[in-house]
Amino acid sequence: MKILIIGDSCIDEFIYCDIERICPEAPVPVLKPVRSQQNPGMASNVVTNLKALGAKVDLVTNTSKIKKTRYVDARSGQMVMRVDKNDKCKPIQSLASTGKTMPYYIMENHDAVVISDYCKGFLNTHDIQQIAEMAKCPVFLDTKKQLGDWCKDINFIKINEFEHKKNFETIPNYPDLIDKLIITRGSKGCEHKDKLYPVPKVPIKDVSGAGDTFLAGLTVEYLKNNNIEQAIKFANECATTVVQKRGVTTL
């Protein structure tokens, strides 16, 4: 299968530290870095997981480097602080240097389009609406934006529990979107069309990137069998696997 990913990417950095005392100048821990790890994040993390599941992937993303640095207690795995650098990027039109326009990417022979929108400035609602209108294959959307009529041509919209609460008053105004929603609810599992798909209780070490893994599993399994219920169950399994490991983990 060939999948097109469009969205903003970042570098996920984890700096693991020894924390043994409190700073005398202020009530904060003193961090002594011992090791670090970097992974491609956001849309690029979706790509990494899709490739791990055997898909061929084309990526359209920002060239500027957004960086999320997490400082973590090496012994407990507890995140102490996160620092985001270059948190905004140029819009998709800035890719003109490639000599290609947006329709070029959509008109390629893809089996699915995945829009991984972290609201860092790469895509606006008009861009997403245009992509969905031009696509001749299933379109999956993961967005931090307020939902509206602009996503009416999306096939499936994956949002987490917090994002669903933010949209609680808006969604009833767009009844056509309700059956498109796939709501991830953390340790409770996932909800679609008022049906809860539970997950087993497991020791959770890090939820960073789990939503990207869920989205990758959902897309691949749906393309294999054209059954969204089975795709959700598989996506749950994928997310359950990675939350038991530290950092942003690939399947």
Side-chain angles (χ1 to χ4, degrees):
M1 61 191 73
K2 189 176 182 182
I3 300 170
L4 174 64
I5 308 295
I6 306 176
D8 21 30
S9 294
C10 74
I11 297 171
D12 278 320
E13 180 180 43
F14 290 80
I15 300 179
Y16 294 92
C17 308
D18 283 339
I19 303 177
E20 299 177 347
R21 63 191 180 95
I22 300 296
C23 174
E25 295 91 3
V28 295
V30 176
L31 311 181
K32 298 172 101 174
V34 292
R35 62 185 175 88
S36 64
Q37 176 183 333
Q38 289 189 352
N39 305 89
M42 301 195 308
S44 291
N45 186 39
V46 181
V47 170
T48 304
N49 281 276
L50 285 171
K51 288 181 177 180
L53 291 169
K56 294 181 179 179
V57 185
D58 289 326
L59 173 64
V60 179
T61 192
N62 50 293
T63 54
S64 58
K65 299 299 183 183
I66 297 171
K67 192 172 187 179
K68 299 179 182 179
T69 302
R70 299 165 175 87
Y71 292 85
V72 182
D73 178 18
R75 284 183 295 182
S76 68
Q78 176 67 46
M79 188 192 308
V80 178
M81 178 175 62
R82 193 178 103 176
V83 178
D84 290 3
K85 296 180 181 178
N86 305 320
D87 201 39
K88 292 293 181 182
C89 62
K90 293 181 179 179
I92 190 171
Q93 287 79 6
S94 66
L95 292 172
S97 58
T98 63
K100 307 290 195 312
T101 58
M102 192 190 301
Y104 163 81
Y105 299 106
I106 307 303
M107 297 307 291
E108 286 286 292
N109 184 26
H110 294 99
D111 299 302
V113 174
V114 176
I115 303 170
S116 182
D117 172 40
Y118 275 80
C119 283
K120 302 299 183 183
F122 190 67
L123 295 167
N124 59 38
T125 56
H126 176 73
D127 295 328
I128 297 174
Q129 183 174 358
Q130 184 184 8
I131 292 167
E133 289 174 351
M134 289 188 294
K136 302 185 185 303
C137 57
V139 180
F140 296 79
L141 172 65
D142 183 0
T143 184
K144 309 299 180 188
K145 291 180 172 59
Q146 197 77 15
L147 301 180
D149 195 52
W150 55 271
C151 48
K152 60 182 175 61
D153 291 317
I154 303 291
N155 296 90
F156 299 105
I157 303 170
K158 178 258 172 196
I159 58 176
N160 63 34
E161 191 168 24
F162 175 72
E163 292 155 359
H164 183 251
K165 288 179 180 177
K166 288 198 304 181
N167 281 277
F168 184 76
E169 294 182 356
T170 305
I171 291 174
N173 297 325
Y174 305 97
D176 291 342
L177 300 183
I178 294 175
D179 286 348
K180 300 174 185 284
L181 296 179
I182 297 173
I183 308 157
T184 56
R185 298 196 177 278
S187 60
K188 299 175 186 175
C190 175
E191 183 181 335
H192 177 57
K193 291 186 177 181
D194 293 325
K195 179 179 178 180
L196 185 66
Y197 297 81
V199 292
K201 290 185 178 181
V202 296
I204 297 175
K205 294 184 178 179
D206 200 328
V207 298
S208 303
D212 300 329
T213 302
F214 180 96
L215 184 61
L218 182 78
T219 304
V220 167
E221 191 67 16
Y222 182 78
L223 291 181
K224 285 182 178 180
N225 55 55
N226 198 35
N227 184 311
I228 193 60
E229 287 199 7
Q230 190 168 331
I232 289 172
K233 292 176 182 178
F234 179 72
N236 271 345
E237 292 177 15
C238 293
T240 299
T241 297
V242 298
V243 298
Q244 297 179 69
K245 301 179 181 180
R246 298 193 193 282
V248 176
T249 308
T250 303
L251 287 166

